[in-house]
Amino acid sequence: MSLAGMKCLVTGAGGLLGQRIVSQLLDEGENLAEVRVLDRTFSSETLQHFEDLKGSTLLTVIKGDIRDTSCLQKAVQGISLVIHTACVIDVLGLVEKQVLWDINVGGTQRLLETCLLHDVKYFIYTSSLEVVGPNHRGDPVSNGDEDSVYQVTPGFPYAETKREAEKCVLELDGLPLKDGSSFVTCALRSMYIFGEGSPFLRKHVNEAILNNKVFFRYSRKEALVNPVYVGNVAWAHIQLAKAVRDPEKVKQIKGRFYYISDDSPHISYSDLNHELGKELGFGVERKLAMPLTMLYWYALLLEIMSFLLQPFVRYVPLINRHLLTLMNTPFTFSYKKAQKDFGYTPRYSWEESKQRTRRWIAEVASLKTTYLKSKNI
C-alpha cells in the first residue's frame, strides 16, 4: 500500500529518530501531498537536508511545543496520518518529574484529543522498551515477544510516562470519527537506538577521547541486549504507516504494540560502543570499575545524598540504581511479529549500520580532538 497523496505530521521531527523518519518519507518517492514537521527547535542543517529531499512533496515546518493546544490545532489541520515521536528522554533524572509527565503524557493526550477533533485517521506512537522493563529485580528476557509475560515494576519517571502515554494511545483505537470511519492507533516499542547523531553515543565517544580512546565499561559482557539502528526504526514506522492503510492488514495491527529490533548482534551496551569504534582505534575497559553489587550500593548512597540535599540544592547523580539495572540486565526481544503482521524487515544490515555509524564516530572524534588541542588539553 502506498502513501501517495497523504498528508503526514511527524512530531519530534528535529530529534534523532524524527529526522530519519522525515528523510525516509521524503526520499521514498511516495509522492505524499504534504509532510508537516513539528518540534521546538530545528538545526539549520536539518532543515536544509529536508529541503534537499522534498521533491514535489510540500514540506511545512512548524516550530512549537507539544503542550501548546493552539500549535497542535494548526499542526493537525487536514492531516490524515500522525507519527508521534516527540518526547523527553531522561535516564538520569535530570528533568523534573512534572515536566516529563506534562510533555510525554500530557502532550500526547492533547495531541490525541486534537487529532480526534480534526478527524485524523491514523496515529502511530513511538514507544520504548522501557515500557516493559527491566524491572527492579533485573529479571532477564531472552528473545521475548509481544506475548511474553513480564512483571513490570513502577518507580522510574521516564518509563512510567512512556507506559502511560502508550496506554492512552492504544485505548483510543477504534473511536468513531465524523466521516463514519474509526480512529486507528498503533505503537512501536524500539530497542536501544544507535546510529549517526545519537546523543548517548556522542557522549560515550567524547568520554573515551578523554580516556585515551578507551570506552568506560558501564555494563557486564554477559548483559546482552539487542540494539537497533536508527534507520531501521524509522523504516518500521514507514512500513507500519503503509500497512494501516491496507484494509486487510489494519484489522490485525490496529490497537496493538510491536517490538522493533533488527539483525544487530546481541551484545552489551559497552561492547556495542567498542564494536562500533574499534576499527577507529577505540578500546573498552575490560571490566566494571567495581563489582556490580558494590556499584548498586554506591548508587544508592548517591541517591540518598540527592534526597537529603533537596531542600538546599538540586543534585542529580551521574549514576542511579535504575540505570545500572537497565545496563546490566540481559534483555532481548524479537521483531518477528512486526514482520508477520505488517511486513517489517530491516532496511539496513548490521554491516551497513555499523559502517554508517563508524563514519559519524570518526567525525565526532576528530572534532573533539581538534577542540582539545585548541585548548591545550
Side-chain angles (χ1 to χ4, degrees):
M1 183 65 68
S2 170
L3 298 178
M6 292 192 74
K7 292 185 177 183
C8 175
L9 168 68
V10 180
T11 72
L16 172 66
L17 177 59
Q19 286 185 42
R20 193 60 63 92
I21 291 172
V22 173
S23 294
Q24 290 187 6
L25 284 171
L26 294 172
D27 196 33
E28 271 301 289
E30 290 289 341
N31 296 317
L32 284 92
E34 181 182 5
V35 174
R36 213 170 286 177
V37 296
L38 170 66
D39 212 325
R40 295 179 67 182
T41 58
F42 293 94
S43 70
S44 57
E45 292 83 1
T46 296
L47 293 179
Q48 185 58 55
H49 180 62
F50 290 167
E51 285 291 335
D52 292 342
L53 289 172
K54 71 175 186 178
S56 61
T57 299
L58 174 63
L59 176 67
T60 304
V61 177
I62 302 174
K63 293 183 180 180
D65 196 309
I66 197 74
R67 295 167 290 183
D68 183 348
T69 302
S70 62
C71 173
L72 294 181
Q73 289 176 344
K74 175 184 176 183
V76 306
Q77 186 74 44
I79 290 293
S80 50
L81 165 67
V82 169
I83 299 178
H84 179 37
T85 77
C87 75
V88 174
I89 300 174
D90 180 33
V91 295
L92 288 175
L94 296 169
V95 181
E96 295 285 355
K97 184 174 182 179
Q98 190 58 52
V99 174
L100 272 178
W101 201 266
D102 287 345
I103 296 174
N104 294 356
V105 180
T108 300
Q109 290 172 331
R110 286 188 186 89
L111 180 58
L112 287 165
E113 291 166 1
T114 309
C115 286
L116 288 168
L117 183 65
H118 290 273
D119 249 18
V120 175
K121 188 165 186 179
Y122 307 108
F123 193 102
I124 296 173
Y125 176 64
T126 305
S127 191
S128 167
L129 180 63
E130 287 202 50
V131 165
V132 67
N135 59 26
H136 290 325
R137 297 189 299 272
D139 294 331
V141 173
S142 179
N143 284 319
D145 59 29
E146 288 76 2
D147 295 322
S148 297
V149 177
Y150 190 80
Q151 184 63 52
V152 176
T153 52
F156 192 66
Y158 170 67
E160 288 180 354
T161 63
K162 293 299 287 185
R163 188 180 303 121
E164 182 62 25
E166 181 190 276
K167 179 183 176 184
C168 292
V169 170
L170 298 183
E171 282 183 344
L172 293 186
D173 179 76
L175 284 184
L177 299 175
K178 297 172 188 174
D179 65 359
S181 63
S182 60
F183 196 37
V184 175
T185 69
C186 301
L188 298 180
R189 294 181 181 177
S190 169
M191 307 297 109
Y192 168 75
I193 300 175
F194 72 93
E196 313 94 289
S198 165
F200 300 109
L201 186 52
R202 184 189 296 273
K203 174 179 177 291
H204 293 317
V205 170
N206 287 336
E207 286 178 346
I209 294 292
L210 294 171
N211 193 39
N212 295 315
K213 293 189 76 173
V214 176
F215 286 109
F216 291 105
R217 179 167 289 281
Y218 297 106
S219 52
R220 302 171 297 160
K221 291 185 71 68
E222 58 268 28
L224 302 182
V225 295
N226 50 333
V228 59
Y229 178 60
V230 62
N232 288 327
V233 184
W235 186 236
H237 285 74
I238 306 300
Q239 294 300 94
L240 182 56
K242 293 179 180 179
V244 294
R245 298 194 72 199
D246 186 310
E248 292 304 316
K249 288 183 179 178
V250 72
K251 297 175 185 177
Q252 179 68 26
I253 61 183
K254 64 191 306 291
R256 296 181 179 273
F257 70 85
Y258 292 90
Y259 291 111
I260 300 300
S261 54
D262 58 18
D263 297 325
S264 301
H266 291 194
I267 192 171
S268 77
Y269 289 108
S270 294
D271 291 300
L272 171 67
N273 291 339
H274 183 220
E275 185 64 32
L276 295 171
K278 65 183 182 183
E279 290 190 13
L280 299 172
F282 285 86
V284 65
E285 292 178 336
R286 188 173 60 86
K287 59 182 181 179
L288 295 170
M290 61 181 76
L292 188 57
T293 302
M294 290 182 63
L295 279 173
Y296 278 116
W297 284 105
Y298 174 65
L300 175 60
L301 176 62
L302 294 179
E303 291 173 39
I304 292 172
M305 287 178 57
S306 176
F307 175 77
L308 294 176
L309 289 171
Q310 274 183 359
F312 314 104
V313 65
R314 188 162 187 264
Y315 164 62
V316 180
L318 294 179
I319 193 78
N320 56 51
R321 287 171 295 165
H322 174 81
L323 187 57
L324 280 173
T325 302
L326 191 68
M327 293 188 297
N328 286 281
T329 300
F331 217 62
T332 61
F333 287 82
S334 166
Y335 66 80
K336 297 305 180 186
K337 187 170 179 58
Q339 185 176 50
K340 173 179 174 291
D341 285 4
F342 63 89
Y344 163 70
T345 55
R347 184 177 186 177
Y348 303 92
S349 68
W350 162 240
E351 284 303 318
E352 186 175 0
S353 302
K354 187 165 53 173
Q355 290 169 11
R356 286 169 172 260
T357 307
R358 186 178 295 133
R359 286 195 293 268
W360 175 77
I361 290 176
E363 295 174 5
V364 172
S366 176
L367 287 172
K368 183 67 174 180
T369 302
T370 300
Y371 172 78
L372 293 175
K373 285 180 178 178
S374 71
K375 298 296 183 180
N376 295 317
I377 299 176

